[in-house]
Coordinates of all heavy atoms in Angstrom, one line a residue:
M236 N 322.1 223.5 87.2 CA 321.9 224.1 88.6 C 320.4 224.4 88.8 O 319.6 223.6 88.6 CB 322.8 225.3 88.7 CG 322.5 226.3 89.7 SD 323.8 226.6 90.9 CE 323.4 225.5 92.2
A237 N 320.0 225.6 89.2 CA 318.7 225.9 89.6 C 318.0 226.4 88.3 O 318.6 227.0 87.5 CB 318.7 227.1 90.6
E238 N 316.7 226.3 88.3 CA 315.9 226.8 87.2 C 314.9 227.7 87.9 O 314.4 227.6 88.9 CB 315.1 225.7 86.5 CG 316.0 224.8 85.7 CD 315.2 223.8 84.8 OE1 314.0 223.9 85.0 OE2 315.9 223.1 84.1
H239 N 314.6 228.8 87.2 CA 313.7 229.9 87.7 C 312.9 230.4 86.5 O 313.4 230.7 85.5 CB 314.6 230.9 88.3 CG 313.7 232.2 88.7 ND1 312.9 232.2 89.8 CD2 313.7 233.4 88.1 CE1 312.4 233.4 89.8 NE2 312.8 234.2 88.9
R240 N 311.6 230.3 86.6 CA 310.8 230.9 85.6 C 310.1 232.2 86.0 O 309.6 232.3 87.0 CB 309.6 229.9 85.2 CG 310.1 228.6 84.5 CD 308.8 227.7 84.2 NE 309.3 226.5 83.6 CZ 309.5 226.3 82.4 NH1 309.3 227.2 81.5 NH2 309.9 225.1 82.0
R241 N 310.2 233.1 85.1 CA 309.6 234.5 85.3 C 309.3 235.0 83.9 O 310.1 235.1 83.1 CB 310.5 235.3 86.1 CG 309.8 236.8 86.2 CD 310.4 237.6 87.3 NE 309.6 237.2 88.4 CZ 309.9 237.7 89.6 NH1 311.0 238.4 89.8 NH2 309.2 237.3 90.6
E242 N 308.1 235.5 83.7 CA 307.6 236.1 82.6 C 308.0 235.3 81.3 O 308.5 235.9 80.4 CB 308.3 237.6 82.4 CG 307.8 238.4 83.7 CD 308.6 239.7 83.6 OE1 309.4 240.0 82.8 OE2 308.4 240.4 84.7
G243 N 307.9 234.0 81.4 CA 308.1 233.2 80.2 C 309.7 232.9 79.9 O 310.0 232.3 79.0
T244 N 310.5 233.4 80.8 CA 311.9 233.2 80.7 C 312.4 232.1 81.6 O 312.1 232.1 82.8 CB 312.7 234.5 81.0 OG1 312.2 235.5 80.2 CG2 314.1 234.4 80.7
L245 N 313.2 231.2 81.1 CA 313.8 230.1 81.9 C 315.2 230.5 82.3 O 316.0 230.6 81.4 CB 313.8 228.8 81.2 CG 314.3 227.6 81.9 CD1 313.5 227.3 83.2 CD2 314.4 226.4 81.0
L246 N 315.5 230.6 83.5 CA 316.9 230.9 84.0 C 317.4 229.6 84.5 O 316.8 228.9 85.4 CB 316.8 231.9 85.0 CG 316.2 233.3 84.7 CD1 316.2 234.3 85.9 CD2 316.8 233.9 83.5
T247 N 318.5 229.2 84.0 CA 319.0 227.9 84.4 C 320.4 227.8 85.1 O 320.8 226.7 85.4 CB 319.3 227.0 83.0 OG1 320.2 227.8 82.1 CG2 317.9 226.8 82.3
N248 N 320.9 229.0 85.4 CA 322.2 228.9 86.2 C 322.2 230.1 87.2 O 321.5 231.0 87.1 CB 323.4 228.7 85.3 CG 323.6 230.0 84.5 OD1 323.5 231.1 84.9 ND2 323.9 229.8 83.2
A249 N 323.1 230.0 88.1 CA 323.3 230.9 89.1 C 323.5 232.3 88.6 O 323.1 233.3 89.1 CB 324.3 230.5 90.1
A250 N 324.4 232.3 87.6 CA 324.8 233.6 86.9 C 323.6 234.4 86.4 O 323.4 235.6 86.7 CB 325.8 233.5 85.8
Q251 N 322.7 233.7 85.7 CA 321.5 234.2 85.2 C 320.5 234.8 86.4 O 319.9 235.7 86.2 CB 320.7 233.3 84.3 CG 321.5 233.1 82.9 CD 320.9 232.0 82.1 OE1 320.3 231.0 82.7 NE2 321.0 232.1 80.9
I252 N 320.4 233.9 87.4 CA 319.5 234.2 88.4 C 320.0 235.4 89.2 O 319.2 236.4 89.5 CB 319.4 233.0 89.4 CG1 318.6 231.9 88.7 CG2 318.7 233.5 90.7 CD1 318.8 230.6 89.4
I253 N 321.3 235.5 89.6 CA 321.8 236.6 90.3 C 321.8 237.9 89.4 O 321.4 239.0 90.0 CB 323.3 236.4 90.8 CG1 323.3 235.0 91.7 CG2 323.8 237.6 91.6 CD1 322.4 235.1 92.8
A254 N 322.1 237.8 88.3 CA 322.0 239.1 87.3 C 320.5 239.5 87.2 O 320.3 240.8 87.3 CB 322.5 238.7 85.9
R255 N 319.7 238.5 87.2 CA 318.2 239.0 87.1 C 317.8 239.6 88.4 O 317.0 240.7 88.4 CB 317.4 237.7 86.7 CG 315.9 238.1 86.6 CD 315.6 238.9 85.3 NE 314.3 238.9 85.1 CZ 313.5 238.2 84.3 NH1 314.1 237.3 83.5 NH2 312.2 238.4 84.0
I256 N 318.2 239.1 89.5 CA 317.9 239.7 90.7 C 318.4 241.1 90.9 O 317.6 242.0 91.3 CB 318.5 238.8 92.0 CG1 317.6 237.5 92.1 CG2 318.5 239.6 93.2 CD1 318.3 236.5 93.1
R257 N 319.6 241.3 90.4 CA 320.2 242.6 90.5 C 319.4 243.6 89.6 O 319.1 244.7 89.9 CB 321.7 242.7 90.0 CG 322.7 242.4 91.2 CD 324.0 242.8 90.8 NE 324.5 242.6 89.3 CZ 324.7 243.7 88.6 NH1 324.4 244.9 89.0 NH2 325.1 243.4 87.3
A258 N 319.1 243.2 88.4 CA 318.4 244.0 87.4 C 317.1 244.3 87.9 O 316.6 245.6 87.8 CB 318.3 243.3 86.1
E259 N 316.3 243.4 88.5 CA 315.0 243.7 88.9 C 314.9 244.7 90.1 O 314.0 245.5 90.3 CB 314.3 242.4 89.4 CG 313.9 241.5 88.1 CD 313.2 240.3 88.6 OE1 313.1 240.0 89.7 OE2 312.7 239.6 87.6
R260 N 316.0 244.6 90.9 CA 316.1 245.5 92.1 C 316.8 246.9 91.8 O 316.9 247.7 92.6 CB 316.7 244.8 93.3 CG 315.9 243.7 93.8 CD 314.6 244.3 94.5 NE 314.1 243.2 95.4 CZ 312.7 242.8 95.2 NH1 312.0 243.3 94.2 NH2 312.4 241.8 95.9
G261 N 317.4 246.9 90.6 CA 318.2 248.1 90.2 C 319.5 248.3 91.1 O 319.7 249.5 91.3
L262 N 320.1 247.2 91.4 CA 321.2 247.2 92.3 C 322.5 247.0 91.5 O 322.6 246.3 90.6 CB 321.2 246.1 93.3 CG 319.9 246.1 94.2 CD1 319.9 244.8 95.0 CD2 320.2 247.3 95.2
S263 N 323.5 247.7 92.0 CA 324.9 247.5 91.5 C 325.4 246.3 92.2 O 324.9 245.7 93.1 CB 325.8 248.7 91.8 OG 326.0 248.7 93.2
M264 N 326.5 245.7 91.6 CA 327.2 244.6 92.2 C 327.5 244.8 93.7 O 327.3 244.0 94.6 CB 328.4 244.0 91.4 CG 327.9 243.4 90.2 SD 329.5 242.8 89.4 CE 328.8 242.2 87.9
S265 N 328.1 246.0 94.0 CA 328.6 246.4 95.2 C 327.3 246.5 96.2 O 327.4 246.1 97.3 CB 329.5 247.6 95.3 OG 328.8 248.8 94.8
S266 N 326.2 247.1 95.7 CA 325.0 247.3 96.6 C 324.5 245.9 97.0 O 324.2 245.8 98.1 CB 323.9 248.1 95.9 OG 324.4 249.4 95.7
L267 N 324.4 245.0 96.0 CA 323.9 243.7 96.3 C 324.8 243.0 97.2 O 324.4 242.3 98.2 CB 323.7 242.8 95.0 CG 323.2 241.4 95.2 CD1 321.9 241.4 96.0 CD2 323.1 240.7 93.9
G268 N 326.2 243.1 97.0 CA 327.1 242.5 97.9 C 326.9 243.0 99.4 O 326.9 242.2 100.3
V269 N 326.7 244.3 99.5 CA 326.5 244.8 100.9 C 325.3 244.3 101.6 O 325.2 243.8 102.7 CB 326.4 246.5 100.8 CG1 325.9 247.0 102.2 CG2 327.8 247.0 100.6
L270 N 324.2 244.3 100.8 CA 322.8 243.8 101.3 C 322.9 242.3 101.6 O 322.3 241.8 102.6 CB 321.8 244.0 100.2 CG 321.3 245.5 100.0 CD1 320.4 245.6 98.8 CD2 320.6 246.0 101.2
A271 N 323.6 241.6 100.9 CA 323.8 240.1 101.1 C 324.9 239.7 102.0 O 325.0 238.6 102.5 CB 324.0 239.4 99.7
G272 N 325.8 240.7 102.2 CA 326.9 240.3 103.2 C 328.0 239.5 102.5 O 328.6 238.7 103.2
V273 N 328.2 239.7 101.2 CA 329.2 239.0 100.4 C 330.1 240.0 99.7 O 329.6 241.1 99.4 CB 328.7 237.9 99.5 CG1 327.8 236.9 100.3 CG2 327.9 238.5 98.5
P274 N 331.3 239.8 99.4 CA 332.2 240.6 98.7 C 331.6 240.9 97.2 O 331.0 240.0 96.7 CB 333.5 240.0 98.7 CG 333.4 238.9 99.7 CD 332.1 238.5 99.8
T275 N 331.8 242.1 96.8 CA 331.4 242.5 95.4 C 332.1 241.5 94.4 O 331.5 241.2 93.4 CB 331.9 244.0 95.2 OG1 331.2 244.8 96.1 CG2 331.5 244.4 93.7
S276 N 333.3 241.1 94.7 CA 334.1 240.3 93.8 C 333.4 238.9 93.7 O 333.4 238.3 92.6 CB 335.5 240.0 94.3 OG 335.6 239.5 95.5
T277 N 332.7 238.5 94.8 CA 332.0 237.2 94.7 C 330.7 237.3 93.8 O 330.5 236.4 92.9 CB 331.5 236.8 96.1 OG1 332.7 236.6 96.9 CG2 330.7 235.6 96.0
I278 N 330.0 238.5 93.9 CA 328.9 238.7 93.0 C 329.4 238.7 91.5 O 328.8 238.1 90.6 CB 328.2 240.0 93.3 CG1 327.7 240.1 94.8 CG2 327.1 240.3 92.3 CD1 326.6 239.1 95.1
S279 N 330.5 239.4 91.3 CA 331.0 239.5 89.9 C 331.4 238.1 89.4 O 331.2 237.8 88.3 CB 332.3 240.5 90.0 OG 332.9 240.5 88.7
R280 N 332.1 237.3 90.2 CA 332.5 236.0 89.8 C 331.5 235.0 89.5 O 331.5 234.2 88.7 CB 333.5 235.5 90.9 CG 334.9 236.2 90.9 CD 335.8 235.9 92.0 NE 336.1 234.5 91.9 CZ 336.4 233.8 93.0 NH1 336.4 234.3 94.2 NH2 336.8 232.5 92.9
I281 N 330.4 235.2 90.3 CA 329.1 234.4 90.1 C 328.5 234.8 88.8 O 328.3 233.9 87.8 CB 328.2 234.5 91.1 CG1 328.7 233.9 92.4 CG2 326.7 233.8 90.7 CD1 327.8 234.3 93.7
E282 N 328.3 236.0 88.5 CA 327.7 236.5 87.3 C 328.5 236.2 86.1 O 328.0 236.0 85.0 CB 327.3 238.0 87.4 CG 326.1 238.3 88.3 CD 325.7 239.7 88.2 OE1 325.9 240.4 87.1 OE2 325.0 240.2 89.1
S283 N 329.8 236.2 86.2 CA 330.7 236.0 85.0 C 330.8 234.5 84.8 O 331.5 234.1 83.8 CB 332.0 236.7 85.2 OG 332.6 236.1 86.3
G284 N 330.3 233.7 85.6 CA 330.4 232.2 85.5 C 331.7 231.6 85.9 O 332.0 230.5 85.7
H285 N 332.5 232.4 86.7 CA 333.9 231.9 87.1 C 333.7 231.1 88.3 O 334.6 230.3 88.6 CB 334.8 233.1 87.4 CG 335.3 233.7 86.1 ND1 334.8 234.8 85.7 CD2 336.2 233.3 85.3 CE1 335.4 235.2 84.5 NE2 336.3 234.3 84.3
I286 N 332.6 231.2 89.1 CA 332.3 230.3 90.2 C 330.9 229.9 90.2 O 330.0 230.6 89.7 CB 332.7 230.9 91.7 CG1 331.9 232.1 91.9 CG2 334.2 231.1 91.7 CD1 332.1 232.7 93.4
E287 N 330.6 228.7 90.8 CA 329.2 228.3 90.9 C 329.0 228.3 92.4 O 329.6 227.5 93.1 CB 329.2 226.8 90.4 CG 328.1 226.2 89.5 CD 327.0 227.2 88.9 OE1 327.4 227.7 87.9 OE2 326.0 227.3 89.4
P288 N 328.1 229.1 92.8 CA 327.9 229.3 94.3 C 327.1 228.0 94.8 O 326.3 227.3 94.1 CB 327.0 230.5 94.4 CG 326.3 230.6 93.1 CD 327.3 230.1 92.1
T289 N 327.1 228.0 96.1 CA 326.4 226.9 96.8 C 325.0 227.4 96.9 O 324.7 228.6 96.7 CB 326.9 226.6 98.2 OG1 326.8 227.9 99.0 CG2 328.3 226.2 98.2
L290 N 324.0 226.6 97.2 CA 322.7 226.9 97.5 C 322.5 227.9 98.6 O 321.8 228.8 98.6 CB 321.8 225.7 97.7 CG 320.3 225.9 97.8 CD1 319.8 226.5 96.5 CD2 319.6 224.5 98.0
G291 N 323.4 227.7 99.7 CA 323.4 228.7 100.7 C 323.8 230.1 100.3 O 323.3 231.1 100.8
M292 N 324.8 230.2 99.4 CA 325.2 231.5 98.9 C 324.1 232.1 98.1 O 323.9 233.3 98.2 CB 326.5 231.4 98.1 CG 327.0 232.7 97.6 SD 327.4 233.9 98.9 CE 328.9 233.1 99.5
I293 N 323.5 231.3 97.2 CA 322.3 231.9 96.4 C 321.2 232.3 97.3 O 320.7 233.5 97.2 CB 321.9 230.8 95.5 CG1 323.0 230.5 94.4 CG2 320.6 231.4 94.7 CD1 322.6 229.3 93.5
R294 N 321.0 231.6 98.5 CA 319.9 231.9 99.4 C 320.3 233.3 100.1 O 319.4 234.2 100.2 CB 319.9 230.9 100.4 CG 318.9 231.2 101.5 CD 318.9 230.1 102.6 NE 318.3 230.7 103.8 CZ 318.9 231.3 104.8 NH1 320.3 231.4 104.7 NH2 318.3 231.6 105.9
R295 N 321.6 233.4 100.5 CA 322.0 234.6 101.1 C 321.8 235.9 100.2 O 321.3 236.9 100.6 CB 323.5 234.6 101.5 CG 324.0 235.8 102.1 CD 325.4 235.7 102.5 NE 325.4 234.8 103.8 CZ 326.4 234.0 104.0 NH1 327.5 233.9 103.3 NH2 326.3 233.3 105.1
I296 N 322.2 235.7 98.9 CA 322.1 236.8 97.9 C 320.7 237.1 97.7 O 320.2 238.4 97.7 CB 322.9 236.5 96.7 CG1 324.4 236.4 97.0 CG2 322.6 237.5 95.6 CD1 325.2 235.8 95.8
A297 N 319.8 236.1 97.5 CA 318.4 236.4 97.2 C 317.7 237.1 98.4 O 317.0 238.1 98.2 CB 317.7 235.1 96.9
L298 N 318.0 236.6 99.7 CA 317.5 237.2 100.8 C 317.9 238.7 101.0 O 317.2 239.5 101.4 CB 317.8 236.4 102.1 CG 317.1 235.2 102.2 CD1 317.5 234.4 103.4 CD2 315.5 235.3 102.3
G299 N 319.1 239.0 100.6 CA 319.8 240.3 100.8 C 319.0 241.3 99.9 O 318.8 242.4 100.1
A300 N 318.5 240.8 98.7 CA 317.8 241.5 97.6 C 316.3 241.6 98.0 O 315.5 242.2 97.3 CB 318.1 241.1 96.4
G301 N 315.9 240.8 99.1 CA 314.5 240.9 99.4 C 313.7 239.8 98.8 O 312.4 239.9 98.7
Y302 N 314.3 238.8 98.3 CA 313.5 237.6 97.7 C 313.6 236.5 98.6 O 314.5 236.3 99.4 CB 314.3 237.2 96.4 CG 314.0 238.1 95.2 CD1 314.8 239.2 95.0 CD2 312.9 237.9 94.3 CE1 314.7 239.9 93.8 CE2 312.8 238.7 93.3 CZ 313.6 239.7 93.0 OH 313.4 240.6 92.0
H303 N 312.6 235.7 98.6 CA 312.5 234.4 99.3 C 312.9 233.3 98.3 O 312.5 233.3 97.2 CB 311.1 234.0 99.8 CG 310.7 234.9 100.9 ND1 311.0 234.7 102.1 CD2 309.9 236.0 100.9 CE1 310.6 235.7 103.0 NE2 309.9 236.5 102.1
L304 N 313.7 232.4 98.7 CA 314.2 231.3 97.9 C 313.3 230.1 97.9 O 312.9 229.7 98.9 CB 315.6 230.8 98.3 CG 316.3 229.7 97.4 CD1 316.6 230.3 96.0 CD2 317.6 229.3 98.1
H305 N 312.8 229.8 96.6 CA 311.9 228.6 96.6 C 312.7 227.5 95.7 O 313.0 227.8 94.7 CB 310.6 229.0 95.7 CG 309.6 227.9 95.7 ND1 308.6 227.7 96.6 CD2 309.5 227.0 94.7 CE1 307.9 226.7 96.2 NE2 308.4 226.2 95.1
V306 N 312.8 226.3 96.3 CA 313.4 225.3 95.7 C 312.4 224.2 95.3 O 311.6 223.8 96.0 CB 314.6 224.6 96.6 CG1 315.2 223.4 95.9 CG2 315.5 225.6 97.1
Q307 N 312.5 223.8 94.0 CA 311.7 222.7 93.5 C 312.5 221.7 92.9 O 313.5 222.0 92.2 CB 310.8 223.3 92.4 CG 309.7 222.4 91.9 CD 308.7 223.1 91.0 OE1 309.3 223.7 90.0 NE2 307.5 223.0 91.2
Y308 N 312.3 220.5 93.2 CA 313.2 219.4 92.8 C 312.3 218.2 92.4 O 311.2 218.0 92.9 CB 314.2 219.0 93.8 CG 313.7 218.6 95.2 CD1 313.4 217.3 95.5 CD2 313.4 219.7 96.2 CE1 312.8 217.0 96.7 CE2 312.9 219.3 97.3 CZ 312.6 218.0 97.7 OH 312.1 217.7 98.9
L309 N 312.9 217.3 91.5 CA 312.2 216.2 91.0 C 312.9 214.9 91.6 O 314.1 214.7 91.6 CB 312.3 216.1 89.5 CG 311.8 214.8 88.9 CD1 310.2 214.8 89.0 CD2 312.2 214.8 87.4
D310 N 312.1 214.1 92.3 CA 312.5 212.8 92.8 C 312.7 211.8 91.7 O 311.7 211.4 91.1 CB 311.6 212.3 93.9 CG 312.0 211.0 94.6 OD1 312.8 210.2 93.8 OD2 311.7 210.7 95.7
L311 N 313.9 211.5 91.3 CA 314.1 210.7 90.1 C 313.6 209.2 90.3 O 313.3 208.5 89.4 CB 315.6 210.6 89.8 CG 316.2 212.0 89.4 CD1 317.6 211.9 89.1 CD2 315.5 212.6 88.1
F312 N 313.5 208.8 91.5 CA 313.0 207.5 91.8 C 311.4 207.4 91.7 O 311.0 206.5 91.1 CB 313.4 206.9 93.1 CG 315.0 206.7 93.2 CD1 315.8 207.6 93.9 CD2 315.6 205.8 92.4 CE1 317.1 207.4 93.9 CE2 316.9 205.6 92.5 CZ 317.8 206.5 93.2
S313 N 310.8 208.3 92.3 CA 309.3 208.3 92.3 C 308.7 209.1 91.2 O 307.5 208.9 90.8 CB 308.8 208.8 93.6 OG 309.0 210.2 93.6
G314 N 309.5 210.1 90.5 CA 308.9 210.9 89.5 C 308.2 212.1 90.1 O 307.4 212.7 89.3
V315 N 308.1 212.2 91.4 CA 307.3 213.1 92.0 C 308.0 214.5 92.1 O 309.2 214.6 92.5 CB 306.9 212.8 93.5 CG1 306.1 213.9 94.2 CG2 306.1 211.5 93.4
L316 N 307.4 215.6 91.7 CA 308.0 216.9 91.8 C 307.6 217.5 93.2 O 306.5 217.6 93.6 CB 307.4 217.8 90.7 CG 308.0 219.3 90.5 CD1 309.4 219.1 90.0 CD2 307.2 220.0 89.5
E317 N 308.7 217.9 93.8 CA 308.5 218.3 95.3 C 308.8 219.8 95.4 O 309.7 220.4 94.6 CB 309.5 217.6 96.2 CG 309.4 216.1 96.2 CD 308.2 215.7 97.0 OE1 307.7 216.5 97.8 OE2 307.7 214.6 96.8
D318 N 308.2 220.5 96.2 CA 308.4 221.9 96.5 C 309.0 222.1 97.8 O 308.5 221.4 98.9 CB 307.2 222.8 96.4 CG 306.8 223.0 95.0 OD1 307.6 223.2 94.1 OD2 305.5 223.0 94.8
D319 N 310.0 223.0 98.1 CA 310.4 223.3 99.5 C 310.8 224.8 99.5 O 311.6 225.3 98.7 CB 311.7 222.4 99.7 CG 312.3 222.7 101.0 OD1 311.6 223.0 102.0 OD2 313.6 222.6 101.1
V320 N 310.2 225.5 100.4 CA 310.5 226.8 100.6 C 311.5 226.9 101.7 O 311.4 226.5 102.7 CB 309.2 227.7 101.0 CG1 309.6 229.2 101.3 CG2 308.2 227.6 99.9
A321 N 312.6 227.6 101.2 CA 313.7 227.7 102.3 C 313.4 228.5 103.4 O 312.7 229.6 103.3 CB 314.9 228.2 101.6
K322 N 313.7 228.1 104.6 CA 313.4 228.9 105.8 C 314.2 230.1 105.8 O 315.3 230.2 105.3 CB 313.7 228.1 107.1 CG 312.8 226.8 107.3 CD 313.3 226.0 108.4 CE 312.5 224.7 108.5 NZ 312.9 224.0 109.7
V323 N 313.6 231.2 106.3 CA 314.4 232.5 106.4 C 314.5 232.8 108.0 O 313.8 232.3 108.8 CB 313.5 233.6 105.7 CG1 313.4 233.4 104.3 CG2 312.1 233.8 106.3
G324 N 315.5 233.6 108.2 CA 315.8 234.0 109.5 C 317.0 233.4 110.1 O 317.6 232.5 109.5
A325 N 317.5 233.9 111.2 CA 318.8 233.4 111.8 C 318.7 232.0 112.2 O 319.7 231.3 112.1 CB 319.1 234.2 113.0
D326 N 317.6 231.5 112.6 CA 317.5 230.0 112.9 C 317.5 229.1 111.7 O 317.7 227.9 111.8 CB 316.2 229.8 113.8 CG 315.0 230.0 113.1 OD1 315.0 230.9 112.1 OD2 313.9 229.4 113.3
A327 N 317.5 229.6 110.5 CA 317.4 228.8 109.3 C 318.8 228.5 108.8 O 319.0 227.6 107.9 CB 316.6 229.5 108.2
V328 N 319.8 229.2 109.3 CA 321.2 229.0 108.9 C 321.8 227.7 109.4 O 321.8 227.7 110.6 CB 322.0 230.3 109.2 CG1 323.5 229.9 108.7 CG2 321.5 231.6 108.5
T329 N 322.3 226.8 108.7 CA 322.8 225.6 109.0 C 324.3 225.8 109.2 O 324.9 226.8 108.8 CB 322.6 224.4 108.0 OG1 323.3 224.7 107.0 CG2 321.1 224.3 107.9
D330 N 325.1 224.8 109.8 CA 326.5 224.9 110.0 C 327.1 225.0 108.6 O 328.1 225.8 108.4 CB 327.0 223.7 110.8 CG 326.7 223.7 112.2 OD1 326.3 224.9 112.7 OD2 326.6 222.7 112.8
E331 N 326.6 224.2 107.7 CA 327.2 224.2 106.3 C 327.1 225.6 105.7 O 328.0 226.1 105.0 CB 326.5 223.2 105.5 CG 327.0 223.1 104.0 CD 326.3 222.0 103.2 OE1 325.9 221.1 103.7 OE2 326.3 222.3 102.0
E332 N 325.9 226.3 105.8 CA 325.7 227.5 105.2 C 326.6 228.6 105.9 O 327.1 229.6 105.3 CB 324.2 228.0 105.4 CG 323.4 227.2 104.3 CD 321.9 227.5 104.6 OE1 321.5 228.0 105.5 OE2 321.2 227.2 103.6
E333 N 326.9 228.5 107.2 CA 327.8 229.4 108.0 C 329.1 229.4 107.3 O 329.9 230.3 107.4 CB 327.8 229.1 109.4 CG 326.5 229.5 110.1 CD 326.4 229.1 111.6 OE1 327.4 228.3 112.0 OE2 325.5 229.5 112.3
D334 N 329.5 228.1 106.8 CA 330.9 228.1 106.2 C 331.0 228.9 104.9 O 332.1 229.2 104.5 CB 331.2 226.6 105.8 CG 331.3 225.7 107.0 OD1 331.7 226.3 108.2 OD2 331.3 224.5 106.9
D335 N 329.8 229.3 104.3 CA 329.9 230.1 103.1 C 330.2 231.6 103.5 O 330.5 232.3 102.6 CB 328.4 230.1 102.4 CG 328.1 228.8 101.8 OD1 329.0 228.0 101.5 OD2 326.9 228.7 101.6
D336 N 330.1 231.9 104.8 CA 330.4 233.3 105.2 C 331.9 233.6 105.1 O 332.7 233.1 105.8 CB 329.8 233.5 106.6 CG 329.9 234.9 107.0 OD1 330.4 235.8 106.3 OD2 329.6 235.2 108.2
P337 N 332.2 234.5 104.1 CA 333.6 234.9 104.0 C 334.2 235.6 105.2 O 335.5 235.6 105.3 CB 333.6 235.7 102.7 CG 332.3 236.2 102.6 CD 331.4 235.3 103.2
A338 N 333.3 236.3 106.0 CA 333.9 237.0 107.1 C 334.0 236.2 108.4 O 334.6 236.6 109.3 CB 332.8 238.1 107.4
G339 N 333.5 235.0 108.4 CA 333.7 234.2 109.6 C 333.6 232.8 109.4 O 333.8 231.9 110.1

């Protein structure tokens, strides 16, 4: 899934990334859920590895905690490493990401 480097630590899956976000912000699962607009059970299921969230869900959780999502990917055909900073704000939500919203 995603990779995230911070302080020499490589985070390689959504569970590690979300747990790190919570720890750095000192948030409980329920607090992060409220900030991100997702159920506490979803945060718990992600962190326990029971579900693998979509990129849209990871984005929502990161933004809720005050982080910007930065995606870096490797083009396997050209070998070029690309950077893409996810847009933030209401206009950045696509129809696919709206489907991630459990409330609507």
Side-chain angles (χ1 to χ4, degrees):
M236 161 120 268
E238 289 189 1
H239 171 72
R240 289 185 187 270
R241 173 161 275 172
E242 301 169 7
T244 303
L245 178 63
L246 304 179
T247 58
N248 63 44
Q251 293 173 326
I252 293 168
I253 302 306
R255 181 71 173 260
I256 285 172
R257 273 197 327 106
E259 287 181 355
R260 293 292 193 237
L262 297 169
S263 66
M264 287 184 188
S265 63
S266 295
L267 179 56
V269 168
L270 291 170
V273 300
T275 303
S276 61
T277 299
I278 302 294
S279 175
R280 290 172 59 210
I281 292 169
E282 286 192 23
S283 66
H285 287 99
I286 61 170
E287 221 17 78
T289 63
L290 188 55
M292 180 62 70
I293 295 171
R294 174 185 167 270
R295 174 180 288 145
I296 293 168
L298 290 173
Y302 286 89
H303 292 279
L304 183 64
H305 180 92
V306 177
Q307 191 174 51
Y308 55 94
L309 177 66
D310 182 333
L311 296 176
F312 295 108
S313 70
V315 175
L316 189 62
E317 301 285 342
D318 286 321
D319 180 30
V320 177
K322 295 178 182 176
V323 294
D326 60 332
V328 177
T329 65
D330 290 338
E331 181 180 328
E332 288 173 342
E333 288 174 354
D334 290 341
D335 288 341
D336 185 358

